[in-house]
Amino acid sequence: MTDTTPAYTGPERVFSGIQPTGSLHLGNYLGALKKFVDLQDTHDCVFCVVDLHAITMPVEKGVLADQTRQIAAAFMACGIDPAKSVMYAQSSVPAHVELAWIFNCVARMGWVERMTQFKDKAGKDSERASVGLFTYPVLQAADILAYKATHVPVGEDQKQHLELSRDIADRFNREYDVPGFFPLPEPLIKGPGARIMSLKDGTKKMSKSDPSDLSRINLVDDSDTIARKIRKATTDAGVIPETAEELKGRPEVENLVGIFAALTGRGVESILGEFAGQGFGAFKPALADVTVAHLAPITARYRDILADPAEIDRTLARGAQQANAIAAPIMDDVRRVVGFWRP
Ligand code: AMP
Ligand code: TRP
């Protein structure tokens, strides 16, 4: 299809979000948080704890607010600086919900029905899933576009949701005849940490919801736990190969080498060069050292920040004001474009 509609020409902005459900792991860190931190020096950034998304699945009573503080603390422990980036809780800015409703009327059933995350999360009994779980990716599009964000750092698993966000932005622009009103947000996925796999099964992604804690390294794990989990990580009977080509078909080994590369910023080839021909008895302790060296300061900062919840609350409240100041004028324009009655 040739496309002659003018593109968005407004300023660049980065937006991303993480749900306050369960504790963060190395996959979240390498796939998302580490990229957030790298972007905040070069871009206007908005980082959101997406608590509205969290309630699409059952949440234990009374824990949501604390989990939101924990994710905010983890953001800051990883290096998000609230003086540089906007950081806040989604439910404290009304624009998300309002724009999500409008987008529910822009997105087509067929588009949303294709989303694989819904199928995974709803499981066999999708009749019993919440309606919110179904429209989850529409709310995600609203998160991004309420700030007219142009770039969205996420892990590989979010690729399909980002495509939907682009489709929704494009359809809104066309349907209301406002070319270039919303940007078509671009996912920032590339990099060695885009898809970190379970330590127990190299074909499954590392996930908060895996019943086995040995499958993931949590950002709050202490050094001994990290070393033990890496020691127990599934591998095969072979040795570390010489070339990246030979990692194909060995997903567990490829994953461990990939984690080493992502944490050190070194290329896979350089790591293979150092360890080729050696068994995992040599490689695993080296990987454990690298992981502990990287995570220990983050864990220490996390505990310090979490010790002062009132300060986290003040930071989130300031962030909500800043986020609202960006979104409110955009929402005024959206209401005008849709044609709602206005005083
Ligand atoms: P979630 O834990 O699903 O809320 O994900 C928060 C962010 O972490 C999203 O950008 C995900 O794409 C990213 N993420 C989650 N799991 C992984 C993983 N195993 N590897 C890389 N990125 C991940
Ligand atoms: N769906 C994302 C996840 O599960 C979280 C999310 C919600 C998000 N809104 C977003 C990510 C907006 C990027 C941009 O990880």
Side-chain angles (χ1 to χ4, degrees), residues 15-19 50 53 117 136 140 143-144 152 154 158 161:
F15 182 96
S16 196
I18 294 192
Q19 296 191 64
V50 291
H53 278 104
Q117 185 175 292
Y136 175 117
Q140 181 163 347
D143 296 341
I144 298 165
V152 185
V154 281
Q158 294 302 308
H161 286 170

Side-chain angles (χ1 to χ4, degrees), residues 16-33 35-36 50 71 117 121 136 140 152-159 188-189 192-198 204-209 255:
S16 196
I18 294 192
Q19 296 191 64
T21 49
S23 69
L24 294 175
H25 53 71
L26 194 61
N28 297 131
Y29 178 68
L30 293 173
L33 282 156
K35 291 190 215 151
F36 300 178
V50 291
I71 299 293
Q117 185 175 292
K121 286 198 176 177
Y136 175 117
Q140 181 163 347
V152 185
V154 281
E156 172 93 25
D157 59 349
Q158 294 302 308
K159 198 169 171 209
L188 301 174
I189 294 179
R195 191 163 165 81
I196 302 296
M197 310 310 283
S198 156
K204 285 199 326 204
K205 67 168 188 170
M206 186 177 284
S207 156
K208 288 169 184 166
S209 56
N255 187 41

